[in-house]
mmCIF file of all heavy atoms in Angstrom:
data_model
loop_
_atom_site.group_PDB
_atom_site.id
_atom_site.type_symbol
_atom_site.label_atom_id
_atom_site.label_comp_id
_atom_site.label_asym_id
_atom_site.label_seq_id
_atom_site.Cartn_x
_atom_site.Cartn_y
_atom_site.Cartn_z
ATOM 1 N N VAL L 81 38.139 22.407 2.043
ATOM 2 C CA VAL L 81 37.154 21.420 1.596
ATOM 3 C C VAL L 81 35.956 22.161 1.018
ATOM 4 O O VAL L 81 35.303 22.932 1.729
ATOM 5 C CB VAL L 81 36.697 20.509 2.751
ATOM 6 C CG1 VAL L 81 35.656 19.501 2.262
ATOM 7 C CG2 VAL L 81 37.887 19.789 3.373
ATOM 8 N N PRO L 89 20.109 19.685 7.460
ATOM 9 C CA PRO L 89 20.919 19.207 8.584
ATOM 10 C C PRO L 89 22.184 18.479 8.115
ATOM 11 O O PRO L 89 23.234 18.589 8.757
ATOM 12 C CB PRO L 89 19.962 18.256 9.319
ATOM 13 C CG PRO L 89 18.596 18.822 9.035
ATOM 14 C CD PRO L 89 18.692 19.297 7.601
ATOM 15 N N GLY L 103 40.055 21.185 8.986
ATOM 16 C CA GLY L 103 40.001 21.882 7.710
ATOM 17 C C GLY L 103 39.138 23.129 7.760
ATOM 18 O O GLY L 103 38.559 23.481 8.791
ATOM 19 N N GLU L 161 34.538 8.888 17.601
ATOM 20 C CA GLU L 161 35.308 9.755 18.490
ATOM 21 C C GLU L 161 35.962 10.861 17.666
ATOM 22 O O GLU L 161 36.422 10.620 16.541
ATOM 23 C CB GLU L 161 36.389 8.960 19.224
ATOM 24 C CG GLU L 161 35.840 7.883 20.142
ATOM 25 C CD GLU L 161 35.015 8.462 21.276
ATOM 26 O OE1 GLU L 161 35.425 9.512 21.820
ATOM 27 O OE2 GLU L 161 33.976 7.871 21.619
ATOM 28 N N MET L 276 8.215 43.629 8.414
ATOM 29 C CA MET L 276 7.824 44.621 9.414
ATOM 30 C C MET L 276 6.462 45.236 9.120
ATOM 31 O O MET L 276 5.844 45.831 10.000
ATOM 32 C CB MET L 276 8.874 45.725 9.503
ATOM 33 C CG MET L 276 10.186 45.272 10.132
ATOM 34 S SD MET L 276 11.285 46.664 10.518
ATOM 35 C CE MET L 276 11.647 47.336 8.907
ATOM 36 N N ALA L 293 22.950 43.492 5.445
ATOM 37 C CA ALA L 293 23.362 43.161 4.077
ATOM 38 C C ALA L 293 22.904 44.178 3.052
ATOM 39 O O ALA L 293 23.261 44.078 1.881
ATOM 40 C CB ALA L 293 22.892 41.759 3.658
ATOM 41 N N ALA L 321 30.448 43.601 11.863
ATOM 42 C CA ALA L 321 31.432 44.506 12.470
ATOM 43 C C ALA L 321 30.765 45.545 13.355
ATOM 44 O O ALA L 321 31.338 45.968 14.358
ATOM 45 C CB ALA L 321 32.254 45.196 11.389
ATOM 46 N N GLN L 424 30.965 49.433 -6.302
ATOM 47 C CA GLN L 424 30.395 48.202 -5.745
ATOM 48 C C GLN L 424 28.913 48.384 -5.432
ATOM 49 O O GLN L 424 28.483 49.452 -4.997
ATOM 50 C CB GLN L 424 31.158 47.816 -4.488
ATOM 51 C CG GLN L 424 30.780 46.444 -3.946
ATOM 52 C CD GLN L 424 31.479 46.182 -2.623
ATOM 53 O OE1 GLN L 424 30.885 46.288 -1.550
ATOM 54 N NE2 GLN L 424 32.760 45.848 -2.683
ATOM 55 N N GLU L 448 30.312 44.619 -28.140
ATOM 56 C CA GLU L 448 31.585 45.306 -28.342
ATOM 57 C C GLU L 448 32.078 45.976 -27.066
ATOM 58 O O GLU L 448 33.270 45.976 -26.773
ATOM 59 C CB GLU L 448 31.454 46.371 -29.448
ATOM 60 C CG GLU L 448 31.527 45.818 -30.854
ATOM 61 C CD GLU L 448 31.667 46.924 -31.889
ATOM 62 O OE1 GLU L 448 31.641 48.108 -31.512
ATOM 63 O OE2 GLU L 448 31.790 46.594 -33.078
ATOM 64 N N GLU L 458 11.662 53.713 -5.749
ATOM 65 C CA GLU L 458 11.302 54.456 -4.546
ATOM 66 C C GLU L 458 11.194 53.574 -3.314
ATOM 67 O O GLU L 458 11.293 54.048 -2.187
ATOM 68 C CB GLU L 458 9.972 55.200 -4.758
ATOM 69 C CG GLU L 458 8.746 54.313 -4.958
ATOM 70 C CD GLU L 458 8.606 53.810 -6.395
ATOM 71 O OE1 GLU L 458 9.471 54.126 -7.224
ATOM 72 O OE2 GLU L 458 7.635 53.083 -6.671
ATOM 73 N N ASN L 475 22.858 41.400 -35.428
ATOM 74 C CA ASN L 475 21.440 41.580 -35.764
ATOM 75 C C ASN L 475 20.604 40.465 -35.157
ATOM 76 O O ASN L 475 20.988 39.291 -35.202
ATOM 77 C CB ASN L 475 21.249 41.604 -37.282
ATOM 78 C CG ASN L 475 21.845 42.863 -37.892
ATOM 79 O OD1 ASN L 475 21.895 43.906 -37.242
ATOM 80 N ND2 ASN L 475 22.305 42.762 -39.137
ATOM 81 N N ILE L 507 31.757 59.192 -22.847
ATOM 82 C CA ILE L 507 33.018 59.328 -22.117
ATOM 83 C C ILE L 507 33.157 60.755 -21.596
ATOM 84 O O ILE L 507 32.845 61.727 -22.282
ATOM 85 C CB ILE L 507 34.217 58.988 -23.034
ATOM 86 C CG1 ILE L 507 34.062 57.566 -23.603
ATOM 87 C CG2 ILE L 507 35.536 59.120 -22.284
ATOM 88 C CD1 ILE L 507 34.066 56.474 -22.558
ATOM 89 N N MET L 565 13.164 39.422 -16.574
ATOM 90 C CA MET L 565 12.952 40.871 -16.691
ATOM 91 C C MET L 565 13.324 41.615 -15.407
ATOM 92 O O MET L 565 13.132 42.822 -15.314
ATOM 93 C CB MET L 565 11.490 41.153 -17.035
ATOM 94 C CG MET L 565 11.043 40.600 -18.371
ATOM 95 S SD MET L 565 9.287 40.906 -18.657
ATOM 96 C CE MET L 565 9.315 42.662 -19.006
#
Side-chain angles (χ1 to χ4, degrees):
V81 179
E161 297 296 320
M276 290 191 296
Q424 188 185 102
E448 280 191 357
E458 65 278 1
N475 291 330
I507 303 297
M565 297 177 74

